[in-house]
Structures are given as structure tokens and as C-alpha cells.
Amino acid sequence: MANIVVKKLDITPIEERPTEIVERKGLGHPDSICDGIAESVSAALCKMYKEKMGTILHHNTDQVELVGGYAYPKLGGGHMVSPIYILLSGRATMEVFDREKGETVKLPVGTVAVNAARDYLKKVLRNVNLEKDVVVDCRIGQGSVDLVEVFERQKTDIPLANDTSFGVGHAPFSITEKLVFETEKLLNSDELKKELPAVGEDIKVMGLREGKKITLTIAMAVVDKYVNSVEEYNEVKEKAKAKVEELAKKLANGYEVEVCINTADTDDCIFLTVTGTSAEMGDDGSVGRGNRANGLITPFRPMSMEATSGKNPINHIGKIYNILANLIANDVAELDGVKECYVRILSQIGKPINEPKILDIEIIIEDGYDLKDIEPKAKEIAEKWLNNITEVRDKIIEGEIKTF
């Protein structure tokens, strides 16, 4: 049985504290672009490995860098001057010795990676010309021999941890967290883009709660070809603001919500873009600098600094345990008597990933309930997820679980 510890946490619940800060970087933010590419490349390699070799081989594609291009945005439509440069690096198994045939099989890692990156960009950045506006450079190298051997030592379906590391998660989302998360989803939804095509994909939402007031400060790229004047630009902002305010009425649960969009705008400078992302104009990006595994940046909650996207979903603890901790926390938070749940999971390198060194569950308990009534149910939830940990891997590969 895993080392599962369930404790009562005697702290003030997040929504009863005087202040809270929450951030989400949207899909078109340079850091999120890197996260999305890294995860898409990993998923594509997983599928290629299974198709050609029958199993998922060692890889980590969490080293993606974006160097901003140079653009000339203009009301009515500008143009790119220099392309956005994206570097794919990391490690992946590129060749395997087939003992039966006595030959080395070379695998199309570079081609698969570049195609996956371009497919992701095509899906996310609607106003980018991939033939002219983006350069994708693949420098993924051969996988580490030591880590490859960890894979080959496995004699069961349960992989061995690649590192001594940890993952963290919490649940449920506070009102502020939920509002920040859903605001970015709304502004980057297909429905809103159809109504307001001028809204770009580079959106950052910063939420501040002070008592019962939430202020959402939103940076929202506007695509130049859809607006012919500053008046039209401001109209797009007002319509987007109205949409967010409408969402807030549904989610804010009695909180006062103030929505501020593009507060840095002046008479001479507005957030106008050719492509819908600041990556066109010198804003760089890297994997792991943005949202955590739960899709948010939450300085008032425990967080891991680990980059989740692009790490292999088989035995990389930095990916699996951060996702697993959130899954467990969400299920425990649904139990009667649980106000908030925090989960931390620690691995030990070389040990089965379903046997963590410790799985620590902390619970803020509602009045009238006792830990002894909740503890066995919480342990049962944790054990269920550990016993089905390969399902987490499969859901990651199929894109059913998001990493940022």
C-alpha cells in the first residue's frame, strides 16, 4: 500500500482571506504557445512510437523556445517584417536496434515534431501565415542513455520514476480562480471569435480579489485587419468587456467584478497586432514560464515550478504527479465536509510510479465534520488513482487532460 497521509489543515480558506491574486496566460501568449507546441510534439511522438515500435519510447520535448519576430501593425491591416522563430529541442529516441532483424531502425522524430508544431500553430493562431510568418527549427537530440535504460528495465506495466521529484495540486477553484480561467476560455472560444474576429489569441487575465471585489485586468491583442480606426478598436474592447461582465454575473456569486481591458493604451499606442499575438513583435516565450498543470498561476496556493508540457507521460514525475495531484484533489474536494484540499506527491527515482515515497493530503474541514470520517474516503480516492495511474498516461496522450 502506498504511503498516504491525510491531515487536517488549520488555515483560513482562500476565499476568507483579505486578498487573492490569480493569473492565466491565454493560448496565444508566447509562453503558452511554447507549452502547447511541446505537448503536441510529445503526443505526436507517442503515437508514432506506438505505431512503429508497439511501445512509447523515451523522449522529453519540454525545451521549446520562441524568439519574437518583428511586425508593422497598422489600422486596416499591416504586415510582418521578420518571422517568429521557434526552436524545438529536448531529447527523443531516434533509432532502435531490432535484434530479430539485426538492423537499426531509424525513426522520423524531426519530421513528426515539426509537423506537430505546425499543426498546433495552425489550430491556435488563426491570423498567422505559417508559410511566411513562422520558422520552426528542430534540434531535438538523441535520448539520454541512462533514462532510456530506466524504460528498458521495466518488467511490468507500471513504469519506474525517472526522477526524485514532486507534484502538487489543490481543489476546488476559488471564485477568483474560476473567473480568471473561464474568462480566457471565453475570449479564445470559437463562438466569440465568430462574433468578434478582431480579438486575437494573445490574452492574459490577471485577477485580484480584495474582500468582496474582484478586478480583472486583461491584456487582449487586437488584429489590425479587422479594425479601420481607433473608434472601431475601442468598440471591440467594449464588446469584449461586456461579454466578460456577462460571464462574471454567472460565476461571481455575489462578488463585485470590475473588468479592465488593455489599460496601457494611450492615444499614440494601442495593443494592435498583425497576427493576434505579441510573439510577432519581440515578445519571447519558453515552456514552463506560464500556467501550471491546472491552467493557472496561483501565488496564494502551493505551486510547483516544474514545466509539465512536453515531458514524457510514461514515467516523468514532473508531469504525471502534478496532474495526478490535481485529479486527486478534485475528487477529495467533492467529499462531504471538505472545504479545501491540497495534495503533494513525492517520488523516488527508480521506484514504481504508483508507489510514491509519500502522498500527502491536507484538508480544510467544514464545521460539524471530523477528520476520522473523511480520512478513509480520501485514502480510497488516492489509492484508486494510483492503481489506475496508466489511465492518466492514456488521457494525456489523447489530449483529454490539459497540461497548461
Side-chain angles (χ1 to χ4, degrees), residues 15 174-183 214 244-255 257:
E15 291 187 349
S174 68
I175 296 295
T176 309
E177 289 169 339
K178 191 180 300 182
L179 186 54
V180 166
F181 187 88
E182 294 298 335
T183 293
I214 298 172
V244 175
E245 289 172 339
E246 187 179 331
L247 175 70
K249 288 178 183 177
K250 299 176 184 176
L251 300 179
N253 196 27
Y255 285 84
V257 179

Side-chain angles (χ1 to χ4, degrees), residues 150-161:
V150 169
F151 274 90
E152 293 179 349
R153 284 205 310 266
Q154 296 164 13
K155 296 180 181 180
T156 68
D157 290 335
I158 302 299
L160 308 180

Side-chain angles (χ1 to χ4, degrees), residues 93-110:
T93 304
M94 296 184 174
E95 53 185 49
V96 178
F97 182 69
D98 188 329
R99 295 180 183 177
E100 291 184 5
K101 296 180 179 179
E103 63 182 28
T104 298
V105 178
K106 296 188 181 297
L107 299 167
V109 168

Side-chain angles (χ1 to χ4, degrees), residues 28 30 33-34 37 65-71 80-87 118 121 125 128-130 132-137 275-285:
I33 291 172
C34 292
I37 288 174
E65 299 291 331
L66 184 153
V67 180
Y70 187 77
M80 290 288 290
V81 177
S82 298
I84 298 165
Y85 175 81
I86 294 171
L87 175 64
R118 288 192 164 276
L121 290 169
L125 300 177
V128 171
N129 184 326
L130 293 179
K132 299 188 301 181
D133 299 342
V134 181
V135 173
V136 179
D137 186 6
T275 61
T277 171
S278 60
E280 71 176 34
M281 201 66 170
D283 200 354
D284 306 326

Side-chain angles (χ1 to χ4, degrees), residues 83 96 100 120 133 135 151 199 217 237 267 269 281 307 351 369 373 398:
V96 178
E100 291 184 5
Y120 179 78
D133 299 342
V135 173
F151 274 90
V199 175
T217 303
K237 285 204 307 182
D267 292 339
C269 182
M281 201 66 170
K351 301 296 183 182
Y369 290 84
D373 299 320
E398 294 302 320

Side-chain angles (χ1 to χ4, degrees), residues 10-216:
D10 289 317
I11 63 171
T12 303
I14 191 73
E15 291 187 349
E16 295 175 23
R17 300 179 204 173
T19 57
E20 181 184 5
I21 299 170
V22 182
E23 180 182 4
R24 175 166 169 80
K25 293 181 179 180
L27 294 179
H29 188 284
D31 292 331
S32 296
I33 291 172
C34 292
D35 285 331
I37 288 174
E39 190 61 18
S40 295
V41 170
S42 173
L45 289 178
C46 287
K47 291 173 183 176
M48 182 271 288
Y49 286 142
K50 288 191 76 172
E51 180 183 313
K52 293 188 176 293
M53 305 306 301
T55 189
I56 297 173
L57 301 176
H58 170 69
H59 69 279
N60 287 310
T61 59
D62 57 331
Q63 301 296 319
V64 176
E65 299 291 331
L66 184 153
V67 180
Y70 187 77
Y72 179 64
K74 181 181 177 183
L75 290 166
H79 60 274
M80 290 288 290
V81 177
S82 298
I84 298 165
Y85 175 81
I86 294 171
L87 175 64
L88 311 180
S89 59
R91 291 287 180 264
T93 304
M94 296 184 174
E95 53 185 49
V96 178
F97 182 69
D98 188 329
R99 295 180 183 177
E100 291 184 5
K101 296 180 179 179
E103 63 182 28
T104 298
V105 178
K106 296 188 181 297
L107 299 167
V109 168
T111 301
V112 169
V114 170
N115 287 339
R118 288 192 164 276
D119 286 345
Y120 179 78
L121 290 169
K122 188 184 302 181
K123 182 172 63 175
V124 173
L125 300 177
R126 303 160 193 251
N127 296 286
V128 171
N129 184 326
L130 293 179
E131 301 305 316
K132 299 188 301 181
D133 299 342
V134 181
V135 173
V136 179
D137 186 6
C138 183
R139 290 291 183 266
I140 295 174
Q142 175 65 32
S144 163
V145 174
D146 289 340
L147 292 182
V148 171
E149 287 176 351
V150 169
F151 274 90
E152 293 179 349
R153 284 205 310 266
Q154 296 164 13
K155 296 180 181 180
T156 68
D157 290 335
I158 302 299
L160 308 180
N162 80 316
D163 193 7
T164 301
S165 188
F166 65 90
V168 301
H170 72 266
F173 275 2
S174 68
I175 296 295
T176 309
E177 289 169 339
K178 191 180 300 182
L179 186 54
V180 166
F181 187 88
E182 294 298 335
T183 293
E184 187 275 332
K185 292 291 187 185
L186 168 69
L187 293 175
N188 267 327
S189 66
D190 290 339
E191 183 180 351
L192 184 127
K193 301 297 190 193
K194 287 176 184 176
E195 185 174 343
L196 296 173
V199 175
E201 288 76 36
D202 191 350
I203 291 164
K204 187 173 85 168
V205 183
M206 184 70 75
L208 166 65
R209 180 182 57 77
E210 299 170 284
K212 285 293 184 179
K213 179 181 177 181
I214 298 172
T215 303
L216 296 180

Side-chain angles (χ1 to χ4, degrees), residues 213-228:
K213 179 181 177 181
I214 298 172
T215 303
L216 296 180
T217 303
I218 302 170
M220 183 185 78
V222 175
V223 182
D224 59 6
K225 65 183 178 183
Y226 296 108
V227 291
N228 295 303

Side-chain angles (χ1 to χ4, degrees), residues 230-244:
V230 173
E231 289 73 25
E232 288 185 16
Y233 171 90
N234 288 329
E235 187 178 338
V236 169
K237 285 204 307 182
E238 286 304 314
K239 287 182 177 179
K241 179 181 177 181
K243 292 287 185 182
V244 175

